[in-house]
Amino acid sequence: MILQTRAIGKAFGSVLALREVSMGVAAGQVTCVLGDNGAGKSTLIKILSGVHRHDAGELLLDGVPVSFASPRAALDHGIATVYQDLAMIPLMSVWRNFFLGSEPRKSFGRFDVATARRVAREELHAMGIDIRDVDQPVGTLSGGERQSVAIARAVHLGARVLILDEPTSALGVKQAGVVLRYIARARDRGLGVVFITHNPHHAYPVGDRFLLLNRGTSLGEYAKADITRERLTSLMAGGAELEQLEHELRRE
Amino acid sequence: MTAVKADERLADVGRLRRTLIRPELGAVVGAIIVFAFFAAQSPVFRSPAGIANWLDPAATLGIMAVAIALLMIGGEFDLSAGVLTGTTGLILVTLATEYGVNVWLAMLISLAVALGIGSLNGIVVTRTKLPSFIVTLGSFLMLQGINLGVTKLITGTVQVSGLRTAPGFESARVIFAGTIQIGQVHFRVAILWWLTATALATWVLMRTRAGNWIFAAGGNEQAARAVGVPAARTKIALFMTTAFAAWLVGSIMALRYTSVQANIGIGQEFIYIIAAVIGGCLLTGGYGSAIGAAIGAVIFGMADKGIVFLGWDADWFKFFLGAMLLLATLANRLVRRYAEEVKR
């Protein structure tokens, strides 16, 4: 396990946003975090990515307890996070976005523009992302392409753990498929991926482990061998609740 | 395969559109039209002496417009920049004439004060997350009051003068307010400062990581911060850059006229912003160009002097100001819509 939590918790005032959640992500594996709105998914990833500090339990990096002071600190430890809505800056070109915050430098702090352009093109190509022109503004890319570029960026910048916050939730079926393919590719390059989603149909094909969250607490962490897609879906939707709903909606 | 081919063709059109829609494009077209308009009617306007004449206001305005452009690309405004040119000039002249301080030392002190005010603007804006429009409107009014109040307290009038006899005046004047002769024509040295500022700002924007951070801080501050860009520090540095430019222009004006009115610079802040907008800066930040702002300043220089050359009433300048601003904003909106449109 690269990154692990042990009975981790976080409270905002009197609200216990997260209680006793244990999960882990290993190199070359995808851990899916599933849960409905308000289940504590975002609180969990914000702890992993250094936005919040946990106030109970332990966060372990390579088996050593850590606590990240800022997203920058997490990034410096190789934990990169791609947020759903703020992954990219729309008015800036693809290559400028690609190296934002980690610009390659020449002497006197000059931005090595030629290298940045070339590497961005090469890396996107290596991930199988077909961007016609790295000079085009990111705003002209589709949502799926943006997520893909953000994933390629994290991979290139040497991330060991990639946290993806609902990368597929705003996308159509086809676009979501494209993003899932890049998640698999990042995994194949040896990264540990934490994939947050509320869609079990996106999670099941690509995931190795599944953490289910409900109302701030864990419903259990399962290896793929221990759970079927149907069971995952029903747990996710709150099983009994779904049956109840089906019953209610049935035509008389 | 036909689908792929059609896609490639579409991409080519996109590339053409992109090269056409540079942030500076509107300003360049505008400058050509304005030049042609005045040059056709006034032989003086197109003569070398005439050009030297209208490049001068373009230069002093341009230094500020370029700094304001950087700040606007970084997503902030500075309404106190105009009055700050007055503050720095007043400090310089007051120290040199009333307290016998060497002009160079007085300039250093006024620079320190300017940078202090700039960083204060920046710190308040980044800490409180209040709109910079409000914060700098506050510092604008406060500086305006200080300029008048302190000047009256010290001199009993609303101006300070007599810089010519101060120690170190001549050497400072040559560097900041002198002229350079090319052929028969004297060009103000301010033009050189302006060109230097434009080149430097363009280089920083396009070829340094600070430039990347400026675009990012203005484009989407949260996203920038999420990937490790020090957005707050970048913005504070931008406010200090604006203050530095205000100091430069304030010093140039003070050394040129050897006296400073306490109400100088009021109203200029909007002209800087307008020049930057004509040069392609979006009011919402994240997009723009230093060269564009410099060209925007040229348009103002030409209109300012051209209206006089034609013997028109100077009131028409205000009409021109408004018309240019409206046209530029409309052009910019098209650019933004293009850049942000999401392909299906």
Side-chain angles (χ1 to χ4, degrees):
Chain A
M1 292 287 167
I2 308 177
L3 197 62
Q4 223 177 335
T5 68
R6 268 196 214 137
I8 212 161
K10 172 78 188 171
F12 297 100
S14 61
V15 180
L16 299 169
L18 206 65
R19 277 170 296 149
E20 307 215 340
V21 172
S22 299
M23 51 99 52
V25 60
Q29 286 206 348
V30 179
T31 298
C32 298
V33 178
L34 293 116
D36 211 341
N37 295 338
K41 301 191 301 280
S42 357
T43 309
L44 177 62
I45 65 149
K46 279 180 176 158
I47 292 170
L48 297 181
S49 62
V51 177
H52 295 325
R53 282 184 191 228
H54 54 281
D55 43 27
E58 277 186 317
L59 177 62
L60 305 174
L61 180 67
D62 297 318
V64 182
V66 285
S67 177
F68 301 125
S70 69
R72 183 79 242 181
L75 210 56
D76 291 341
H77 283 95
I79 297 161
T81 310
V82 175
Y83 294 97
Q84 179 195 343
D85 46 346
L86 40 83
M88 293 270 151
I89 295 175
L91 286 166
M92 291 172 77
S93 64
V94 171
W95 65 270
R96 278 189 182 273
N97 266 291
F98 196 89
F99 284 103
L100 186 58
S102 312
E103 293 85 357
R105 269 182 295 175
K106 295 195 282 190
S107 51
F108 305 112
R110 285 176 300 160
F111 184 5
D112 192 346
V113 170
T115 305
R117 268 211 187 85
R118 182 176 51 78
V119 174
R121 196 177 294 122
E122 285 171 5
E123 280 294 320
L124 291 174
H125 191 74
M127 288 285 287
I129 302 165
D130 178 33
I131 300 282
R132 288 160 297 278
D133 180 3
V134 290
D135 279 313
Q136 74 193 89
V138 157
T140 63
L141 301 180
S142 68
E145 282 174 318
R146 280 188 226 191
Q147 291 288 336
S148 308
V149 172
I151 294 171
R153 166 173 74 184
V155 172
H156 171 71
L157 296 178
R160 300 166 62 210
V161 176
L162 183 60
I163 301 171
L164 301 167
D165 180 19
E166 308 239 2
T168 58
S169 63
L171 303 180
V173 178
K174 216 171 172 183
Q175 293 274 333
V178 172
V179 172
L180 290 176
R181 210 164 287 142
Y182 297 130
I183 293 175
R185 207 154 297 166
R187 173 200 66 197
D188 294 342
R189 287 177 73 156
L191 277 81
V193 180
V194 180
F195 174 25
I196 291 91
T197 180
H198 55 242
N199 190 333
H201 303 290
H202 289 163
Y204 198 77
V206 76
D208 296 298
R209 305 163 72 83
F210 304 92
L211 170 72
L212 283 136
L213 292 179
N214 187 32
R215 297 167 67 87
T217 182
S218 173
L219 294 179
E221 193 187 18
Y222 302 89
K224 193 165 195 168
D226 303 335
I227 195 166
T228 63
R229 185 192 296 245
E230 288 66 36
R231 178 88 185 112
L232 192 66
T233 313
S234 101
L235 266 179
M236 166 68 210
E241 280 174 47
L242 198 66
E243 275 162 35
Q244 173 73 26
L245 186 68
E246 202 176 334
H247 184 74
E248 276 176 34
L249 298 178
R250 190 176 300 150
R251 287 175 190 276
E252 293 300 328
Chain B
M1 284 316 283
T2 44
V4 174
K5 262 188 183 159
D7 199 305
E8 291 302 322
R9 248 198 352 254
L10 263 177
D12 274 347
V13 175
R15 204 164 296 147
L16 181 73
R17 273 174 72 190
R18 263 202 308 288
T19 8
L20 281 178
I21 304 181
R22 297 272 316 145
E24 302 91 359
L25 184 77
V28 172
V29 172
I32 292 170
I33 293 172
V34 172
F35 178 82
F37 176 78
F38 287 113
Q41 302 180 63
S42 162
V44 188
F45 185 84
R46 58 177 188 262
S47 71
I51 292 173
N53 192 310
W54 54 253
L55 272 183
D56 176 41
T60 45
L61 170 60
I63 293 169
M64 291 309 297
V66 165
I68 290 288
L70 291 188
L71 183 66
M72 284 178 70
I73 295 170
E76 303 294 344
F77 290 100
D78 189 351
L79 297 182
S80 67
V83 177
L84 191 56
T85 64
T87 309
T88 52
L90 287 168
I91 294 174
L92 163 58
V93 178
T94 308
L95 284 177
T97 57
E98 300 287 327
Y99 300 97
V101 178
N102 182 289
V103 168
W104 287 98
L105 182 61
M107 281 179 71
L108 265 182
I109 294 170
S110 82
L111 174 61
V113 173
L115 291 180
I117 293 169
S119 59
L120 212 62
N121 274 338
I123 289 167
V124 172
V125 167
T126 51
R127 284 279 165 82
T128 61
K129 315 254 187 255
L130 285 171
S132 51
F133 201 84
I134 295 299
V135 172
T136 59
L137 182 63
S139 39
F140 161 74
L141 292 169
M142 282 156 65
L143 284 177
Q144 197 179 328
I146 290 176
N147 282 2
L148 278 162
V150 174
T151 308
K152 270 190 192 162
L153 266 182
I154 293 177
T155 66
T157 64
V158 290
Q159 71 160 12
V160 284
S161 53
L163 190 60
R164 193 177 302 280
T165 53
F169 169 75
E170 198 43 42
S171 56
R173 192 197 62 82
V174 168
I175 290 175
F176 291 98
T179 56
I180 297 167
Q181 194 174 2
I182 301 173
Q184 296 298 308
V185 186
H186 291 276
F187 287 90
R188 290 279 193 183
V189 78
I191 297 169
L192 263 185
W193 284 105
W194 166 53
L195 294 177
T196 312
T198 309
L200 197 67
T202 304
W203 179 74
V204 167
L205 273 182
M206 307 312 286
R207 287 292 179 267
T208 68
R209 43 192 230 144
N212 221 28
W213 294 350
I214 293 171
F215 279 114
N220 185 339
E221 191 176 344
Q222 264 184 300
R225 204 166 282 160
V227 295
V229 171
R233 257 201 296 148
T234 306
K235 287 189 171 182
I236 293 170
L238 286 173
F239 275 106
M240 292 176 76
T241 306
T242 308
F244 179 88
W247 166 80
L248 181 58
V249 171
S251 303
I252 287 172
M253 298 309 244
L255 288 162
R256 184 183 291 178
Y257 301 118
T258 70
S259 69
V260 179
Q261 298 285 331
N263 65 352
I264 202 164
I266 297 168
Q268 290 291 305
E269 59 284 337
F270 279 113
I271 301 198
Y272 308 151
I273 293 174
I274 293 168
V277 169
I278 288 175
C281 287
L282 289 178
L283 289 165
T284 42
Y287 192 78
S289 133
I291 294 179
I295 298 172
V298 170
I299 294 178
F300 276 114
M302 290 197 292
D304 190 18
K305 296 290 172 179
I307 285 170
V308 177
F309 285 152
L310 292 190
W312 291 2
D313 196 319
D315 295 342
W316 286 101
F317 181 68
K318 279 281 154 62
F319 173 82
F320 170 84
L321 210 93
M324 282 304 293
L325 176 66
L326 213 54
L327 281 175
T329 325
L330 285 172
N332 287 352
R333 200 176 61 152
L334 289 177
V335 174
R336 190 194 168 93
R337 206 177 276 170
Y338 163 75
E340 286 205 324
E341 86 187 354
V342 175
K343 246 184 266 163
R344 299 288 158 205

